[in-house]
Amino acid sequence: MGHLRFDVVQGAFKKKAIAVETPDGKPSDFFGSLVFGRANSKKYLDSQTYARLVHCVDDGVPLDAATADKVAEGMKVWALEHGATHVTHWFQPLTEGTAEKHDAFLTPDGTGCVIEQFDGKSLVQQEPDASSFPNGGIRATFEARGYTAWDPTSPVFIQDDTLCIPSVFISYTGEALDYKTPFKKALKALNDAAVPLCRLFDPKVQRVYSYLGWEQEYFLVDEDLFAARPDLMLTGRTLMGHSSSKNQQLSDHYFGAIPSRVAAFMKDVETAGYKLGIPLKTRHNEVAPNQFEMAPVYEEANLANDHNQMIMNVMTRIARKHGFVVLFHEKPFEGINGSGKHNNWSMGTDTGVQLLAPGKDARGNLQFVTFFVNVLAAVQRHNGLLKASVASASNAHRLGAHEAPPAIVSAFLGQTMTSVLRKLLEVPSDTPITISGKKGRGIGLVEIPEIFVDNTDRNRTSPFAFTGNRFEFRAVGSSANCAGALTVLSAAVAQQLKAFKAQVDQAISKGSSLETAVMDCLKPLIASVLDTISFDGNGYSEEWKALAARRGLDTETSVPKMFCQFTTPETEDLFTQTGIYNLKELEARNEVKWETYSTKVLIEARMAARMALNHILPAGVEYQKRLLQDVDLLRQNFPNTWQGLSDTQITLIRESSALIAEIKGRADALNAARESAEALDDACQKALAAEKAAGDLRLLRESIDKLEELTDNDLWPLPKYRELLFIN
């Protein structure tokens, strides 16, 4: 076994960079070439059909059947020209991934020949099986019907030989079974609440858009080493493994030179992303070894989320071509940084105003402060629910550790905005608001130009940080679908904006000016925000945990208990009032969260116990055997002095024997905890029992990692961290 591991490691270290296949021309020449966006739509549709499609996308007007047929025909011609042979409705079930069922364009024509056919009905709707996806009890196994429906606001694209149609996914009885459906409802609710408030400042506003800029962190590992780690293969993380002598202590990997094999992989991913219309902008090494990040230019939130799901699929496929496996697990390696997916979120009007950026004058600043404070008030009111929206079995390992945000939702405002809010509490309500912009700062060298410093710093320990013109929701996990967290955030903000607008209207009806009415309604919110959710200090400190509890913020650390936030009366009111979920959908999603948590944790428990018994204990026993043979040889060859000569071996035998016994006992305890959890029917109780099993797994890992330090390297059956974490 040891020699097999050595051969695998040596093979991984010998891998060379694969040549990048770059298309002719600049990225701008082929950007969006595999997307049926506006440019291609205009080419392949007649002017009337194109106009109706744009009207549908921009204004939410449904397409009639005849127009849908013409759009489908244009799509088919374009797709066939690009080598597509199949079509699928591409959707996002509650698995954190995507799903697709491919149908060929090929259709018998009744004469023994075939034709390529695709009509409006096939474009608008498909019927995949809904019984086997997570549904929280909405659908029984024998109730199989489910429907996907085209989302025209997210352009159709080609992946390999298949025309992919972004779609929503609902049950036969109409409940949402996916992430996209409630997300689009939440975006609509936010628009419906924000537009009336914007019109107080500018009557011309017709629409408010939500924007998302995601930052995708990930790890790469050699596929040979991946294949030699059963835990990585089946759970996405290492369930055991002693830390490497060198990992991220020197911070030398962060923003360092990108390894050539990784650079080739990144280039291929970017090329594929550009063809799919994804505006990838940034790539770099992250803090941990073998950890990297990519980020696009921000886009409308629904499209941005689709693009994130698309690029994760692309990365997974392309990684294998370069001899890698990409890991999106939030904590694949113990003791080093985990991976998040920072969600840079903002709002803007169809008139070009960024609602979370300071304005150009006092009125613009008043509008900015209005939205800024109301977002914070929404986060304050639903801080526990927002934390529950990012909680998962995998993200639980990341939150609160190694630069990930703590498991308490607070908001970083920065010195400038904190000062502005405090000042607003002290001045009359009709006082014009002024906010300082960027300031120049020299560094004392003539040849270095003046640096313009933002009016707010960044706090890496804050889950929800204001960064100048947006909020950065940093607690979202790397493997998560952004729509889950942003649905909650959008709903909370929509509810808050609607309530605030009603208060302002009431104040104006009593004779107050707009400025006075807005500020009179803002001041209680400002005072509450500053006293509760606002925190610019160290989110890791024990002092903050105690202070957060005194402030009334949610400090729950148990993931299954966090999920209970989804079934509180306040949460039910939030989602039913905004029309995002009905009670049946809400309860079902909570069931899915508990079931997913317990399933993942119990898979890990089963895997860890089996590896302990089938991989680790045999290696430990074999090492003991070698030590005993050494002692026996010393006794035979040095009969008078062997006891003194064998002191070290005997000490190692005793230490390894104790660890072997400890591992066996802890593996048995883990198996018992797993079996106890699996026997439970109630989803919440099962998740809580699984959480206990996760604690037993941590204890088992401690023993295994100690044995790894003692055991002959040649006998250890698994690639070690020093081999997994450094790409050559």
Side-chain angles (χ1 to χ4, degrees), residues 204-233:
K204 296 190 295 295
V205 172
Q206 297 295 318
R207 192 167 180 181
V208 169
Y209 298 94
S210 296
Y211 297 104
L212 168 63
W214 43 264
E215 302 171 25
Q216 180 69 59
E217 294 177 338
Y218 61 97
F219 282 85
L220 290 174
V221 64
D222 278 293
E223 62 179 347
D224 292 340
L225 300 179
F226 175 82
R229 292 283 313 215
D231 49 354
L232 270 180
M233 290 181 66

Side-chain angles (χ1 to χ4, degrees), residues 158-408:
I158 293 175
Q159 179 176 278
D160 296 329
D161 64 350
T162 304
L163 180 68
C164 300
I165 303 167
S167 304
V168 299
F169 181 40
I170 61 173
S171 72
Y172 178 76
T173 47
E175 292 88 5
L177 297 175
D178 65 341
Y179 281 100
K180 181 184 274 283
T181 302
F183 188 33
K184 287 182 69 67
K185 289 182 178 181
L187 295 175
K188 181 181 184 302
L190 184 54
N191 169 76
D192 292 347
V195 167
L197 192 55
C198 286
R199 286 178 179 168
L200 295 177
F201 301 93
D202 180 2
K204 296 190 295 295
V205 172
Q206 297 295 318
R207 192 167 180 181
V208 169
Y209 298 94
S210 296
Y211 297 104
L212 168 63
W214 43 264
E215 302 171 25
Q216 180 69 59
E217 294 177 338
Y218 61 97
F219 282 85
L220 290 174
V221 64
D222 278 293
E223 62 179 347
D224 292 340
L225 300 179
F226 175 82
R229 292 283 313 215
D231 49 354
L232 270 180
M233 290 181 66
L234 296 188
T235 72
R237 76 179 182 106
T238 53
L239 301 177
M240 54 199 67
H242 199 283
S243 61
S244 173
S245 299
K246 176 184 182 295
N247 45 59
Q248 65 184 50
Q249 306 100 313
L250 297 175
S251 300
D252 53 343
H253 189 258
Y254 194 41
F255 284 12
I258 299 172
S260 58
R261 284 179 60 208
V262 177
F265 159 77
M266 289 178 169
K267 182 66 176 177
D268 273 0
V269 169
E270 288 174 344
T271 298
Y274 293 153
K275 290 180 179 179
L276 293 170
I278 305 172
L280 299 172
K281 184 75 171 177
T282 301
R283 65 186 187 196
H284 62 83
N285 290 2
E286 255 299 334
V287 176
N290 278 22
Q291 187 186 34
F292 308 94
E293 180 180 304
M294 68 165 56
V297 178
Y298 71 90
E299 301 175 281
E300 186 275 324
N302 177 54
L303 177 60
N305 188 60
D306 282 358
H307 279 169
N308 180 244
Q309 294 295 304
M310 290 160 62
I311 205 66
M312 290 171 74
N313 290 339
V314 167
M315 292 167 70
T316 299
R317 293 199 313 273
I318 291 180
R320 289 303 181 110
K321 296 180 181 179
H322 291 264
F324 293 127
V325 173
V326 62
L327 304 178
F328 292 116
H329 193 288
E330 283 75 8
K331 198 75 170 179
F333 303 104
E334 186 78 10
I336 60 175
N337 282 16
S339 294
K341 180 149 51 190
H342 302 174
N343 280 210
N344 293 278
W345 174 83
S346 62
M347 296 179 287
T349 69
D350 58 344
T351 59
V353 175
Q354 288 295 315
L355 296 173
L356 293 178
K360 298 178 180 179
D361 52 29
R363 192 178 184 87
N365 283 333
L366 180 60
Q367 178 175 257
F368 158 62
V369 171
T370 296
F371 280 89
F372 178 78
V373 170
N374 275 280
V375 169
L376 293 172
V379 172
Q380 174 192 325
R381 180 177 179 182
H382 295 288
N383 69 93
L385 181 62
L386 280 167
K387 182 169 67 175
S389 75
V390 301
S392 67
S394 51
N395 208 21
H397 299 284
R398 164 181 168 262
L399 294 182
H402 294 278
E403 294 195 19
I408 301 171

